[in-house]
Amino acid sequence: MSGNGHSYGEQAGEAAPELAQEAAPTTAPSVPAAFGLFSSDTKKNEDLKQMLESSKDSAKLDAMKRIVGMIAKGKNASELFPAVVKNVASKNIEIKKLVYVYLMRYAEEQQDLALLSISTFQRALKDPNQLIRASALRVLSSIRVPIIVPIMMLAIKEASSDLSPYVRKNAAHAIQKLYSLDPEQKEMLIEVIEKLLKDRSTLVAGSVVMAFEEVCPDRIDLIHKNYRKLCNLLVDVEEWGQVVIIHMLTRYARTQFVSPWKTDDDVVEEYNENNFYESDGEQKEKDRNVKKTYTMDPDHRLLLRNTKPLLQSRNAAVVMAVAQLYWHLAPKSEAGIVSKSLVRLLRSNREVQYIVLQNIATMSIQRKGMFEPYLKSFYVRSTDPTMIKTLKLEILTNLANEANISTLLREFQTYVKSQDKQFAAATIQAIGRCATNITEVTDTCLNGLVCLLSNRDETVVAESVVVIKKLLQTQPAHHGEIIKHMAKLLDNITVPVARASILWLIGEYCERVPKIAPDVLRKTAKSFTNEDDLVKLQILNLGAKLYLTNSKQTKLLTQYVLNLGKYDQSYDIRDRTRFIRQLIVPNEKSGALSKYAKKIFLAQKPAPLLESPFKDRDHFQLGTLSHTLNSRATGYLELSDWPDVAPDPAVRNVEVAESAKEWTAILGKTKKEKPTEKFYSESEEEEDESASTGATESESGSESEKEDKEEGSSDESSGSSSSSEESSDSESDSKESTAKKTSGAVKESNAEESKKKAKGISKNRNTSSSSDTESSSSEGSSSDSKSVSDSRSDSDSGKSGSATSSKKEEKTAQDRKTPSKQDVFLLDLDDFYPVTTPVAVPTAAVLSPSLTADLEGLSLSGSSVIDQVTTQVFVPTKTHEMLHRMTGKGLSAHYHFSRQPDMFGDHMVPVQVTVTNTTDQKIENIHIGEKKLPLGMRIHEFNPIECLEPGGSVTVSMGIDFCDSTQTASFQLCTKDDHFNVNIQPPVGELLLPVTMSEKDFKKEQGMLTGMNETSATIAVAPQNSTSLVIIEKVVKAANLGVVPSGQDNIHRFAAKTVHSGSLMLVTVELKESSTAQLIINTEKTVIGSVLLRELKPVLSQG
Amino acid sequence: MLMRCGPGCHCPSPSPSNLIPKRVTSKESCQATDGKHRQSQKMIHSLFLINCSGDIFLEKHWKSVVSQSVCDYFFEAQEKAIDVENVPPVISTPHHYLISIYRDKIFFVSVIQTEVPPLFVIEFLHRVADTFQDYFGECSETAIKDNVVIVYELLEEMLDNGFPLATESNILKELIKPPTILRSVVNSITGSSNVGDTLPTGQLSNIPWRRAGVKYTNNEAYFDVIEEIDAIIDKSGSTVFAEIQGVIDSCIKLSGMPDLSLSFMNPRLLDDVSFHPCIRFKRWESERVLSFIPPDGNFRLISYRVSSQNLVAIPVYVKHMISFKENSSSGRFDVTIGPKQNMGKTVEGVVMTVHMPKAVLNMNLTATQGSYTFDPVTKVLTWDVGKITPQKLPNLKGIVNLQSGAPKPEENPSLNIQFKIQQLAISGLKVNRLDMYGEKYKPFKGVKYITKAGKFQM
């Protein structure tokens, strides 16, 4: 090995001149004279040559293997080129492959000889086997010989229209290779790219986008027509391609859509200016319209929707790509969904962690809320490498706020003790940053840091001193004590930075420690010559400052120090000495400046800002190399700002085949929006503008749908589009469908099918629009696909999934029925201000449940157990105060839980808010302002109350998705000129939806939820509570539970499901002897279960 | 240390380090920055494999050749980092960017020239390492050196012009057969090759992860549900942070094109899931059923995190008393491990490792169960406990010898604990049933549950 290493060095020396002569290729490199010096090597190579020329394949193979081994070690094997290239046409596949490996490595250096192999590839390009065609193209394009550029160009063009998608994929790869070989082919290559972009195969998509990014990333216009197709294919593209496509689409979207972020406040201002000439009232109204009518471009939505599932990818790069897409493109409220997946990546390798943490660090500066729930995932482990530790620390510091700072500081305390001193020092910096950012804890932090000053480790002490210095600078008011303490420390600390910091502090605040400062100067003057340069400078500074403030005591001392400095070895110090002397010591030559010496030295200095090093990284696109390095990498493509006005979205319309996609997009959107708009149009007539836009949109949706139907039957090519659509359907066997797609043989039947499907959807959509169910945006897509699959399973009669789908159908059917009633109810509430809260009608429901349950038991025949949401049994009359009239400046607000299911979509808990005006003036424009919600929580706002007369009160409804937790939803209740922070905290009983089921089903479900999922308690029941009617009433009042009919008198059963996740919640009350009862709760949501148990206990035990 | 040679520079570069004498060639270093090569390509340009002592033992270029001297920047960073763990994964050099991973004592250093998502490269390099592991049983220097031709062929297939081409092990195995002892013997006699002569069809289909024409006499499908508990427990024994992470690893040997669906008793437990590409996402979204056409052989079906709302049951507890006396060269060490909430299953394979402070010279301990070792160089104490029986709790105690004169360590070291519980998924996750469609035979099915300690720290 070592011998080889030696000769290798010289051989490489030989290779370089050869390279230089590339333009005029040398004679055959096997000329012995050139290699005479290395006879041993040449002999070995002779041996290889002979083997290559032998007739036996095994000898050839052996030789090739040895040659590849040489290449792998970085040794030069170029002289064997002629012998190797002869074997390019070998019949043996392995020899052939190894020859390819050799060719790709050396062809560039031996251009003339490499040409010998070209004809072989040209022949192979015409081979009937697609794999051979593909591999020939691959090798041909990898040979970097400029003479064959025309041949390559021709081959690429031909391959780009090859029948096999695999060959087309390789053509896309070849484009990049050719471009790097000869950039002058750009125009021609762009044509090929344009053609390949239209390709519908998932195999091609990733590669061609890669080529696009390489060759012509600025030709965004090529993407327009393919945008929707790319979005729809994305899920099926291989993972590497996904990354490239997502990054490209991110850039694309930033140029094509308007910002979804502006809706909050900016828009209002902008439009105020625009509407300058309009009257005030109109303007205000318009403002709100503008706010409401910001609707995301359906294509924008399409992108967000189609990338979301990729968060579940096993490939960290894909997850990161989606995360950055959401970060850069999604409305702020939606970006939160990526955090969970990013946190998941932290379990991965060290390298992945490093990159992901960097990105999280940048994100967490701007939007703390995204990662707050995962705070603990960033806790440092002692086994983490230091770079991971510091990044985690960075994130923890970014996430620190008033609420979590105490836990964080406790965590930091353990970090400071870490054996990894670099990390301990970083922790101290972090504490310093927390102290400046959160004023509540500044003093605590400062005290903690002062304690650290007595730490035994010098680096810790030094770092603390530096941080304390910075902290004191921000608020120097009353910290004389600390400065004194630090002055005492000066004797023991040897780290220069720390010493310098202390001296600086004493100098800066010398008037606060008038007695100590001169003494410190005296001590340091003594040790001046032995100090570090950094410290010397600070001694000089201290001297100068003291000279100016307390010249009587320190004049001589300062002059002594200045004299020492004058003859110092460092010119920096000599310079400084001269400068200070001229400034402070008055002499006849001193200029005008010395008058201002005091101002110069003791000017108020701005406190240093303790900032995150990730502060300004956000101008780089997340997930890029540039972001990681925090400097522009070559080839970095800037992410453009949102355009003010969206470019014409029609450019993305594709006339024929794309219409199918179009209507799905629009369908998804209208479905999402319609409920709100209808809601407004019925309650507030002024809003009808926005409603009418909604209507036209839905019309256009159905129009394009019709179009599609027609085209589906007439035009064949739409068949393929719908089949690709189908492939994204869960039901269909994806392999089969793509087989159809590629072969394109069964188009007719596909067109038939798509027609059928379209009908199914239109039917579905009609019913849904009349019943006016609301589904949230994320829900929109899934319910979409559900309905499609439902209608298909009808026709398919596939038994396998029928149980579940029928369940769903039943559910949706019921969904449709109930809310229409509520809509009316809601209207009433809004238009005629009801004075009292609605009164419940519990009686019928309480008495008849056994009957209904029996009926249900019959009809359901066990297939569906839990999803039968019943209407509420009881509506509690208890109201909670939200805003007291004193704090609300005369505006008071109460809320209560109305227990109406499905009013605002599946996951929302409906809340009725009664707002009362107790002032003697009108209160205008009451609405919900800024929301501070825990992650995942959403609020469906009530529509703003235009005006509230003095003494009047209005009840409005809103929906809150509590995510099955009892966390409070905090938001601002705003009036025209004020805003108040209010909270709604749900009692656990309100996070449930009652469910009816038979006793049998109840027992079955209960059997599955045992063990950890069961909580129970024994309670004493008050005597008046022992009758069944009372128990039912009490329980149902306390929690929104459905009554399950019971065969036994002493056992009462209640069932419900949680609003957000739909987990079953089973409650059993079993009366025992001597007025005790056993209360059992079975649920997967053990936390809620135990809270519920706690809340139910007093209900039954108290009278 | 650095060799900053401009084009045409012939300076004899100073030896970068004595570890790597053979890299010292002046011409080579110039070649790296040679403007003659057009270098606008994206993605991965070259790959160097470097062992712990700094030898570059393999290089592969997908485009023009980049000189080994580029690795000097890497060596410089490595030197600065002291610890291998702390070598930054991304290094910027004047003409290139180096993105590296560290796996099994080998650095995979890739050379990049333009902007690229760094995770893309990192993920790919790990995939390469995984593939080596898969092929040779281990991803060590010797294994790679012994199979250098296969490695080269693999790299050639995995990357085309720096862009990943075939990374699914099922496809690769069709292209290039993994070496087995039998085959290498046969090959040496007959001169036949490792390269498959059948062409891979999987690459052409829409299920690239499965090879075609699979046949088995025994059709089997095994699923291992493996859960790991990550926890940080503070001194008082209360949990600071605990989380359950799980994976389902599958070994599927089924003939033909089976279409499987796997359902759980309690799918709601799965909070955050990442899937193998074979899983149909929509089906999971709507029905919480894993429906997929599996790859052939071993693969990771899903990995998941259990929703954080559920409390994590910690199966063991540790009582520990570690104290160092002030101004004395000894300390006491006393640790007891006991089972807690293990749902009637035995806790096995318990191993405790402690990174002792630097001042510790030696340890004199007695263990009531298992054996312990203390490495005075790395200061790592390892105690292999084995099984925990509740009747007799394992205990390790004795004297710690400290360096005399050294200050007393401020902090007690943290204890890392590993354990295993068979036949239990600590989150309570249960597989309900596995159905197969598309094929007629009846497969043998099996599910195994294991709970392990992940990053478990006291």
Side-chain angles (χ1 to χ4, degrees), chain A residues 487-488 490-491 518-528 531 557:
Chain A
K488 279 180 208 149
L490 198 60
D491 297 337
D519 203 41
V520 170
L521 182 64
R522 181 183 61 79
K523 275 190 199 166
T524 48
K526 243 197 284 184
S527 59
F528 185 85
E531 297 284 1
L557 259 178

Side-chain angles (χ1 to χ4, degrees), chain A residues 94 138 214 312 350 626, chain B residues 42 85 115 156 193 273:
Chain A
E94 183 156 26
R138 213 176 127 199
E214 178 77 16
Q312 241 87 32
R350 168 186 82 100
S626 308
Chain B
K42 287 231 169 188
E85 289 272 278
E115 173 62 54
E156 193 66 48
S193 66
V273 195

Side-chain angles (χ1 to χ4, degrees), chain A residues 15 214 439 449 635 703 741 821 1089:
Chain A
E214 178 77 16
T439 45
L449 289 170
E703 241 168 53
K741 184 168 54 177
K821 250 182 274 164

Side-chain angles (χ1 to χ4, degrees), chain A residues 607-818:
Chain A
L609 275 175
L610 297 173
E611 272 185 341
S612 161
F614 286 84
K615 186 95 186 159
D616 49 355
R617 283 214 186 173
D618 54 331
H619 60 265
F620 290 114
Q621 187 176 358
L622 289 184
T624 59
L625 188 61
S626 308
H627 174 266
T628 301
L629 295 168
N630 199 15
S631 71
R632 251 185 111 85
T634 9
Y636 174 74
L637 296 166
E638 199 79 52
L639 206 58
S640 68
D641 276 334
W642 297 102
D644 290 335
V645 182
D648 183 13
V651 290
R652 285 184 292 277
N653 291 345
V654 179
E655 303 74 31
V656 193
E658 287 304 337
S659 51
K661 261 132 228 165
E662 201 177 4
W663 61 252
T664 42
I666 291 169
L667 186 66
K669 185 177 145 237
T670 44
K671 256 200 147 173
K672 182 186 81 229
E673 278 167 3
K674 199 174 295 153
T676 26
E677 271 155 9
K678 191 142 185 202
F679 189 77
Y680 289 135
S681 67
E682 282 180 10
S683 55
E684 262 177 278
E685 279 164 353
E686 303 97 319
E687 293 282 347
D688 60 5
E689 192 188 310
S690 65
S692 71
T693 54
T696 50
E697 259 159 13
S698 73
E699 250 172 52
S700 72
S702 62
E703 241 168 53
S704 66
E705 191 183 294
K706 254 180 248 159
E707 257 170 42
D708 176 64
K709 251 191 277 174
E710 284 158 17
E711 280 155 8
S713 53
S714 64
D715 200 307
E716 284 196 341
S717 59
S718 79
S720 68
S721 84
S722 61
S723 86
S724 76
E725 173 114 313
E726 191 183 65
S727 73
S728 62
D729 267 351
S730 57
E731 289 247 348
S732 65
D733 183 347
S734 65
K735 185 202 155 203
E736 203 182 24
S737 73
T738 41
K740 274 182 205 164
K741 184 168 54 177
T742 43
S743 67
V746 217
K747 282 170 190 160
E748 206 66 64
S749 71
N750 266 346
E752 278 294 312
E753 207 174 308
S754 77
K755 212 160 66 171
K756 222 187 287 170
K757 210 163 48 177
K759 257 183 218 159
I761 286 171
S762 68
K763 216 189 294 165
N764 207 307
R765 217 165 54 87
N766 287 342
T767 44
S768 72
S769 62
S770 66
S771 65
D772 196 20
T773 37
E774 146 117 20
S775 53
S776 63
S777 58
S778 61
E779 219 46 16
S781 60
S782 67
S783 71
D784 220 22
S785 67
K786 245 188 259 164
S787 61
V788 172
S789 67
D790 281 355
S791 62
R792 291 189 63 229
S793 69
D794 282 352
S795 57
D796 286 356
S797 75
K799 272 287 172 236
S800 61
S802 68
T804 38
S805 67
S806 68
K807 200 201 294 179
K808 231 160 269 143
E809 268 180 350
E810 266 161 358
K811 191 186 160 196
T812 42
Q814 208 175 25
D815 283 356
R816 277 177 213 144
K817 265 177 245 154
T818 39

Side-chain angles (χ1 to χ4, degrees), chain B residues 319-445:
Chain B
K319 266 195 249 165
H320 57 108
M321 247 283 298
I322 305 170
S323 62
F324 305 104
K325 271 181 237 149
E326 196 72 63
N327 300 324
S328 137
S329 59
S330 70
R332 285 200 309 150
F333 184 93
D334 186 346
V335 175
T336 310
I337 304 181
K340 185 172 124 187
Q341 300 175 328
N342 53 359
M343 330 229 164
K345 301 277 189 326
T346 22
V347 183
E348 313 170 312
V350 181
V351 178
M352 185 183 80
T353 48
V354 188
H355 288 261
M356 299 303 285
K358 287 205 179 65
V360 174
L361 277 186
N362 213 337
M363 301 185 77
N364 234 328
L365 308 170
T366 39
T368 59
Q369 188 184 336
S371 60
Y372 80 94
T373 53
F374 177 72
D375 183 349
V377 181
T378 54
K379 314 280 181 203
V380 176
L381 168 75
T382 314
W383 178 26
D384 191 345
V385 184
K387 207 183 275 183
I388 298 181
T389 43
Q391 292 78 31
K392 193 168 141 280
L393 298 180
N395 170 267
L396 179 73
K397 72 174 168 186
I399 305 289
V400 185
N401 294 320
L402 296 174
Q403 208 174 345
S404 57
K408 164 184 161 264
E410 310 155 35
E411 188 203 15
N412 281 342
S414 58
L415 316 173
N416 295 300
I417 291 171
Q418 280 159 34
F419 55 81
K420 220 187 253 166
I421 306 171
Q422 300 280 5
Q423 297 306 320
L424 173 75
I426 196 84
S427 67
L429 185 74
K430 280 225 164 65
V431 171
N432 186 13
R433 55 182 298 153
L434 176 73
D435 297 306
M436 187 178 73
Y437 308 97
E439 295 289 332
K440 296 216 165 56
Y441 55 84
K442 262 223 139 66
F444 183 79
K445 300 175 265 191

Side-chain angles (χ1 to χ4, degrees), chain B residues 15-126:
Chain B
S15 170
S17 71
N18 40 15
L19 301 171
I20 28 165
K22 69 167 186 184
R23 262 182 299 104
V24 191
T25 57
S26 56
K27 306 275 170 58
E28 282 259 325
S29 62
C30 300
Q31 210 178 315
T33 56
D34 198 337
K36 200 158 43 187
H37 302 280
R38 187 161 297 109
Q39 294 169 334
S40 67
Q41 295 100 329
K42 287 231 169 188
M43 299 297 168
I44 297 156
H45 199 287
S46 300
L47 175 70
F48 294 99
L49 300 191
I50 301 171
N51 66 13
C52 270
S53 49
D55 288 326
I56 301 172
F57 64 92
L58 189 116
E59 61 175 71
K60 168 90 181 114
H61 308 277
W62 281 273
K63 295 157 189 176
S64 54
V65 179
V66 176
S67 154
Q68 289 190 341
S69 60
V70 76
C71 294
D72 291 343
Y73 295 103
F74 176 78
F75 292 122
E76 193 193 24
Q78 192 184 2
E79 212 158 272
K80 220 188 285 171
I82 304 161
D83 190 12
V84 280
E85 289 272 278
N86 275 323
V87 179
V90 183
I91 301 167
S92 170
T93 78
H95 297 279
H96 303 90
Y97 304 99
L98 303 179
I99 298 185
S100 61
I101 65 161
Y102 182 67
R103 274 275 291 260
D104 304 307
K105 300 194 174 133
I106 301 172
F107 281 105
F108 290 68
V109 182
S110 61
V111 182
I112 310 291
Q113 289 196 316
T114 50
E115 173 62 54
V116 65
L119 271 183
F120 184 99
V121 181
I122 288 169
E123 189 76 22
F124 176 77
L125 292 178
H126 276 293

